[in-house]
Amino acid sequence: MRDAAAVASPRKLSTGRAAGSEAAGSEAGEPRADAGLADAGRADIGRAEGPGPGERQRPLRSAQWYETEGLRSFSHRARTRQLGFLPEEHLGKPVIAILNTWSDINPCHQHLRERAEAVKRGVWQAGGFPLEFPVATLSETFQKPTPMLYRNLLAMETEEVLRSYPVDGAVLMGGCDKTTPALLMGAASVDVPAVFVPAGPMLRGHWRGETLGSGTDMWKYWDEKRAGRIGDRELAELECGLARSPGTCMTMGTASTMASAAEVLGVTMPGAAAIPAVDSGHSRMAAAAGIRAVELVRADLPLSRFLTREAYQDAIATVLALGGSTNAVIHLVAMAGRSHIPLSLDDFDRIARDVPVLADIRPGGRFLMEDFHYAGGLPGLLTRLAEAGLLHLERPTVAHATLREQLDGAGVHDVEVIRALDNPVAEQGGLAVLRGNLAPDGAVIKHISAEPHLHRHTGPAVVFDDYRTMQATINDPGLGITADSVLVLRGSGPLGGPGMPEYGMLPIPDHLLKQGVSDMVRLSDARMSGTSYGACVLHIAPESHIGGPLALVENGDPITLDVAARTLHLHVDDAELARRRAAWQPPPRRYGRGYGALYEEHITQADTGCDFAFLSREGDVPEPHAG
């Protein structure tokens, strides 16, 4: 049986439903998820608008480097001979840049060096000329203080590499949390034809007969260790069982959320988001992406053809139906900004009220990405949303003339993993946007992963001014923390962090863990890992570092969280808040020079995507003179 990554066939095939019996666990009469997806490289994409393959009306951009009469073009050809290439291998052919975020320090991308060879194979097969470019890796597991500090740096690198070299199109290879939005932000700004290749999730973890989810079970068993319920031997075994292969976290963390967002935006091959990193289908998908990139160049179809307002709305709906990461809010707002499409927190909250959570995947559910892939993957889930009328099906994707055509033949194989509309994991999307006097510009909570009794809660604040202080004092009995307390962390936003680190899942004090307390209300201007869980209110804007209301909270202040009402309220009267504000002093700047100084001068707040203002604004950028 073909998997969803046959996605990969470059020839136009029938889009009819596959014949034969349904896979075990499928609903009666539903099509297989991979049926009809084998034509993902179909040759007629974009015929409704613009030239088709072989009909490009403009000369190739790379011709400015290679095919003029001057000295510079002679030099460029000579240096290409120095690289060992014949004229027949590259002259007159689309040059496809393969932007590869592989690195020895990034386990999520450990296999991308090999996958780049598969992409090259596809580019050569389609008559293009592949060139691989190493770009920043942004390893979520190792880079400090947080890769979010450097997301915009990779976006800048992506844009400038694509702009400054003889590039006609691109294949973008990423997956670890910040790499997906960064690559797409940069490519959208330069607006070349491009296909994104997600790294894919790792295999499921195992420990003593239990199935483990990387990230989510790390938090869980670390708390078990702190509570004294497991020891050092068990923890050492868990170290070897949590992450067993290359690939991103196999829960619906930020990596899988953003890969899924990229797929529904229409910039990956169909089914690409959930293919396990080590599955042979992943290599076929990479080759298919190389083929598509060449065909998109020939058809003169840049990213702006696909990154429309309707596509971003569908991405929001999909993230919500997946119970996806809160980080998607920041990234999608930033990505839409690069596409010059207004997107706000209100769009997320409005769409969330109509979209059920259908994917039963950790941390908000029971299963893992490998299960999701076998259950039909994102194409299967999208058929559910299409059935509910929640998608814009007539918009194009890089693989098909319309999303409707791309989903023809897709279906669900396991109704436990991808729920039916009448049996959702939750009636409304897994994220909620909160506002109130503590978050006038908004905050977010992934309430699907919080204990329901905390969805409406009032308690006294226990305030930590920074993460290090919190780490050092969270278990201090003198703080008087109880299960009803509201833990408040400030100084952790875009400027305060710096870079808005994933500090938002504040640890529950040891003494409460030992009493069986597993969740508390926690507030911060930080983010949290998409693999995290709990009643954590995040992205509070404006942040405390610039004098947002979070900076004015004092120990003992009553705070009310009300998810149903979408409110976050500090019960302190306006006169007292004005007195505190008058006494507040802004913290000093951290960076005297370097990228950090650039970041401090230009970063925007969480509600507007944490992009650099000079990158997201409209304006002309001249093409380089190559001759």
Side-chain angles (χ1 to χ4, degrees):
M1 186 175 83
R2 296 193 318 270
D3 54 37
V7 315
S9 173
R11 305 303 178 205
K12 180 177 178 181
L13 304 175
S14 169
T15 58
R17 298 185 185 275
S21 61
E22 301 295 328
S26 297
E27 293 182 11
E30 286 200 350
R32 287 166 33 188
D34 59 346
L37 296 185
D39 65 334
R42 57 181 301 140
D44 62 351
I45 176 175
R47 292 270 179 169
E49 291 185 34
E55 302 173 5
R56 186 180 176 91
Q57 295 171 351
R58 291 186 295 163
L60 292 170
R61 183 176 179 272
S62 58
Q64 300 174 54
W65 276 260
Y66 286 122
E67 298 180 27
T68 62
E69 298 295 330
L71 171 64
R72 291 297 178 188
S73 191
F74 167 71
S75 172
H76 297 147
R77 293 193 298 270
R79 292 300 188 178
T80 306
R81 303 300 160 265
Q82 180 186 6
L83 291 169
F85 292 110
L86 294 166
E88 293 84 357
E89 292 184 85
H90 74 96
L91 289 179
K93 295 183 177 181
V95 176
I96 305 300
I98 303 169
L99 270 58
N100 193 348
T101 53
W102 172 88
S103 168
D104 272 333
I105 197 66
N106 194 336
C108 303
H109 296 181
Q110 186 180 354
H111 57 306
L112 290 190
R113 175 178 273 181
E114 297 174 6
R115 293 298 179 270
E117 295 304 313
V119 174
K120 290 177 185 178
R121 187 175 78 233
V123 172
W124 287 119
Q125 173 71 17
F129 180 59
L131 293 172
E132 186 177 355
F133 293 79
V135 291
T137 194
L138 305 192
S139 173
E140 193 69 39
T141 48
F142 289 101
Q143 193 170 28
K144 306 299 181 186
T146 168
M148 186 63 180
L149 183 69
Y150 302 103
R151 184 200 67 183
N152 298 342
L153 183 62
L154 175 55
M156 293 171 69
E157 182 181 18
T158 299
E159 177 178 353
E160 299 308 327
V161 163
L162 295 178
R163 195 185 304 281
S164 60
Y165 281 98
V167 168
D168 299 302
V171 174
L172 313 169
M173 304 185 70
C176 194
D177 298 7
K178 313 306 176 290
T179 57
T180 300
L183 290 166
L184 288 170
M185 287 162 67
S189 290
V190 75
D191 200 23
V192 295
V195 182
F196 180 72
V197 171
M202 67 179 86
L203 297 178
R204 59 171 61 90
H206 286 283
W207 176 68
R208 296 190 177 186
E210 291 190 36
T211 297
L212 301 179
S214 183
T216 301
D217 280 312
M218 177 186 72
W219 313 117
K220 171 185 172 181
Y221 284 106
W222 185 253
D223 281 353
E224 290 290 287
K225 172 67 164 59
R226 291 171 57 220
R229 290 187 280 270
I230 63 173
D232 290 340
R233 174 178 294 182
E234 290 84 359
L235 208 63
E237 293 175 6
L238 282 159
E239 284 183 9
C240 299
L242 272 169
R244 299 171 44 250
S245 79
T248 58
C249 291
M250 72 299 252
T251 53
M252 189 52 70
T254 305
S256 289
T257 300
M258 293 312 301
S260 299
E263 182 173 334
V264 74
L265 282 169
V267 297
T268 76
M269 304 310 293
I275 303 171
V278 296
D279 193 299
S280 63
H282 196 270
S283 183
R284 297 194 298 275
M285 177 270 294
I291 293 171
R292 281 317 291 141
V294 175
E295 294 177 345
L296 290 170
V297 170
R298 288 181 173 149
D300 199 12
L301 294 172
L303 269 179
S304 58
R305 173 78 165 83
F306 311 105
L307 296 180
T308 62
R309 178 163 181 79
E310 291 77 16
Y312 282 108
Q313 289 174 338
D314 289 352
I316 293 174
T318 301
V319 166
L320 294 165
L322 290 168
S325 169
T326 51
N327 289 301
V329 178
I330 289 175
H331 295 320
L332 285 173
V333 169
M335 291 162 62
R338 295 300 188 93
S339 300
H340 306 302
I341 292 169
L343 205 66
S344 72
L345 298 185
D346 291 336
D347 290 304
F348 283 83
D349 197 55
R350 172 179 52 80
I351 294 172
R353 295 175 186 273
D354 296 325
V355 177
V357 179
L358 299 176
D360 196 348
I361 306 175
R362 301 184 197 182
R366 298 173 292 165
F367 298 98
L368 296 171
M369 288 301 295
E370 197 173 345
D371 306 305
F372 183 62
H373 173 61
Y374 298 135
L378 197 72
L381 181 125
L382 293 181
T383 62
R384 299 283 203 232
L385 298 183
E387 180 186 347
L390 295 170
L391 297 177
H392 299 85
L393 295 172
E394 304 310 318
R395 61 182 179 84
T397 72
V398 297
H400 288 86
T402 66
L403 179 61
R404 182 188 303 279
E405 182 180 297
Q406 181 161 307
L407 296 180
D408 183 26
V412 174
H413 305 335
D414 189 329
V415 297
E416 292 296 311
V417 180
I418 302 174
R419 301 282 195 91
L421 290 169
D422 60 0
N423 183 34
V425 177
E427 294 289 341
Q428 292 188 347
L431 304 179
V433 175
L434 311 173
R435 296 187 188 273
N437 69 343
L438 197 49
D441 292 338
V444 299
I445 183 172
K446 188 175 181 178
H447 57 286
I448 190 176
S449 66
E451 292 188 6
H453 76 277
L454 294 175
H455 288 185
R456 192 181 194 289
H457 177 82
T458 299
V462 178
V463 181
F464 302 95
D465 286 323
D466 58 77
Y467 191 70
R468 290 186 185 183
T469 301
M470 184 277 299
Q471 286 179 302
T473 63
I474 187 68
N475 291 313
D476 183 353
L479 295 178
I481 300 175
T482 72
D484 290 330
S485 298
V486 174
L487 303 182
V488 176
L489 173 66
R490 55 189 174 210
S492 301
L495 280 166
M500 211 179 176
E502 294 181 339
Y503 294 162
M505 186 182 171
L506 279 69
I508 295 170
D510 289 355
H511 72 277
L512 293 179
L513 286 173
K514 293 173 181 177
Q515 295 171 20
V517 175
S518 58
D519 200 2
M520 296 176 66
V521 174
R522 290 157 274 182
L523 317 180
S524 73
D525 45 14
R527 298 176 301 109
M528 77 176 184
S529 168
T531 66
S532 299
Y533 50 86
C536 303
V537 178
L538 311 159
H539 313 177
I540 292 177
E543 65 173 307
S544 60
H545 198 81
I546 62 171
L550 198 66
L552 310 180
V553 181
E554 295 183 357
N555 286 323
D557 288 348
I559 295 175
T560 294
L561 163 67
D562 191 333
V563 173
R566 300 297 199 265
T567 57
L568 184 65
H569 189 75
L570 174 66
H571 296 278
V572 176
D573 64 54
D574 292 343
E576 174 61 15
L577 289 177
R579 183 193 67 77
R580 295 180 188 180
R581 183 173 299 284
W584 180 80
Q585 294 293 320
R589 291 188 57 164
R590 283 189 177 84
Y591 296 96
R593 57 165 302 282
Y595 174 74
L598 176 74
Y599 178 92
E600 285 188 325
E601 290 169 8
H602 296 286
I603 194 67
T604 63
Q605 288 291 290
D607 60 302
T608 53
C610 294
D611 200 0
F612 291 160
F614 69 88
L615 291 176
S616 58
R617 70 184 179 220
E618 295 195 47
D620 293 331
V621 178
E623 275 283 291
H625 178 61

